[in-house]
Amino acid sequence: MSQQFYLKEDVYIEPLFNQWYAWPYLIAPATAARHITNTHRRIMKSYVKNHELHILAKDYNSMTGGDFVDCSLEQLGDIKRLIGEIEQKCGDLVSLSTDIKKLNEHVANHTSGESIDYLYQQVPDGLKGYVELFMHLDHHPSYRFIEPLMYRSPYYKPELQSLSIGMISKVGDRPFVFSTPRLPDENHLQINAQFNDEFWDILCKSRETPISASELDALFADKTLNGGLSVGEIFTESTPAKQYVRPAASEVRLTYTGHAGFMVETCEVCVLIDPVIASRGEQYADEIISFSELPPFIDYVCLTHNHQDHINIETLLQLRYKIGTILVPKNNGGSLADPSMKLILRQLGFKVEEVEDLDQVNLPEGRITAIPFLGEHGDLDIRSKSAWLVEIQGKKCFFGADSANPDINLYRHLQPLLHDADIFAVGMECVGAPYTWLYGALNTKKVAQNIRDSRRLNGSDSTQALEIIDLLAPKSVFIYALGMEPWYKYFIGLDYTDDAEQIQESQKALDECEKRNIPAERLFGKKIIVL
């Protein structure tokens, strides 16, 4: 019998766009253009100018998550090269970013409230035919991108997509991904495979279904490889240490998969919420649910919103071969800050269904309902956000994601749907980052400090969460891990102390639930519950 090889469990795979870790706003062309010019180029130029400061910053945990490039002095030349290549490879995206700024200025200068037809003549050439101008009811002008056309234009650049493979056994804790371009080095293997390339599916499926030596050779035969990690190092003949176990016929099984992720299963159906699946290294081997413990087929993946820790492209691409349908909330229709999740994921080869508030999708012996979701987006007009209610075999699980509660009346109206849920899960990121941390690159004017300080990516605090809990009377409460799980620090960038307000507020919620005789827990790692 020929040798059979599995992809090792401690292998992690990072999707890259123009050498930067890919998240949704690097897929949509307009937001990619703004981030290339206002995030990537800005950070790299800062490194070239002040590389000593950047190199010092990586030794301080408090600096993690900031705009500090985690590169060595020997890589300074590589950073300079990447800056130069932005103009060569992405010149039209640089121009698109400039055109978006010009269009914003033209629109802002129209203050009369009269017809805006003349403004079409002022639309920059690079945007002509890609935007519609309109007036709000209060007579303020605005515009929307015709998003499907943008993906058919030269602005959508799948040729800049690739992947980087590393091993936790070589690097230890993965470095923070959002402030540093991924350069080929001795611990990584970079491969020129676009995100919709079948290469991803064959490679990732080999975590659970081994491939032969000849199949392995064929998989990499036409790929350009860079970096010091070899193909042979990432494969093993050993089967995964932990493997999937199907739920019993009579049970509903709920599995916490880490961060804000949950899996709801019966013997007939599997629903995955906001998956961010960790690769299993030795250090945290018994604390995580990794790829080998997921079922062979996932009927539905439900994504709550367009933030990178909830629509995690790294995880989704590695699960694509086994995902049936992804459910996403409907977006605003072409606004810069709210690109369509449906269009982003369709470019990546997924079957996607977009749902409105309170739309329902039928399951065997149940249904999924999209639940309105307020807050956590810095007061921006973001439509693409939805909590999820999964009802199956008479059990009811509410996944509130990062919902805030600025108006309890929403939940009063939803009470008939949500009352007496078996599971009530919600985040408690009550002091989020300023909204500019995520959306700042989209602004075309400097944001005043008082606005930055006031408009934050906040979820619920204990008072807001308890108000919902008292109204809905769930049987049990779970609070997401709040970024405390160390294996996710590579994209969370947080390092909470026990006296952090988020930790204090979540503890208050737990204490108050105990007084109400409601079982409650702040999650960490993995947890399996049979309902």
Side-chain angles (χ1 to χ4, degrees), residues 220-363:
F220 288 89
D222 64 342
K223 300 301 179 188
T224 301
L225 310 181
N226 290 298
L229 186 64
S230 70
V231 172
E233 288 178 274
I234 65 176
F235 285 91
T236 178
E237 294 183 68
S238 301
T239 58
K242 299 186 179 184
Q243 298 187 43
Y244 174 71
V245 177
R246 182 169 294 281
S250 61
E251 71 183 28
V252 176
R253 186 168 70 193
L254 179 69
T255 303
Y256 173 62
T257 59
H259 192 57
F262 278 93
M263 182 164 62
V264 185
E265 294 177 277
T266 68
C267 64
E268 294 185 278
V269 69
C270 173
V271 179
L272 197 55
I273 315 289
D274 282 354
V276 185
I277 305 302
S279 297
R280 189 189 308 285
E282 287 187 8
Q283 186 177 3
Y284 305 115
D286 296 325
E287 298 182 70
I288 65 172
I289 295 288
S290 195
F291 291 96
S292 62
E293 294 164 275
L294 300 181
F297 187 75
I298 299 162
D299 297 270
Y300 290 99
V301 172
C302 300
L303 301 177
T304 57
H305 57 299
N306 218 346
H307 292 172
Q308 60 269 33
D309 57 328
H310 294 265
I311 174 172
N312 184 255
I313 290 175
E314 173 183 332
T315 292
L316 293 174
L317 286 175
Q318 292 182 75
L319 297 179
R320 180 174 57 194
Y321 69 93
K322 62 166 68 181
I323 291 174
T325 301
I326 298 184
L327 301 180
V328 300
K330 186 176 177 64
N331 84 319
N332 272 334
S335 74
L336 180 62
D338 193 20
S340 167
M341 295 169 69
K342 177 183 75 174
L343 291 176
I344 289 169
L345 291 167
R346 281 188 176 174
Q347 308 312 308
L348 308 184
F350 291 96
K351 178 185 176 183
V352 188
E353 184 176 337
E354 195 175 59
V355 296
E356 297 270 10
D357 291 335
L358 301 182
D359 275 355
Q360 296 183 336
V361 176
N362 291 327
L363 300 173

Side-chain angles (χ1 to χ4, degrees), residues 6 73 89 99 122 170 174 274 308 339 351 380 399 453:
Y6 293 90
L73 182 59
K89 295 181 179 179
D99 287 345
Q122 297 181 16
K170 284 185 171 289
R174 292 173 59 181
D274 282 354
Q308 60 269 33
K351 178 185 176 183
L380 292 171
F399 304 102
D453 291 341

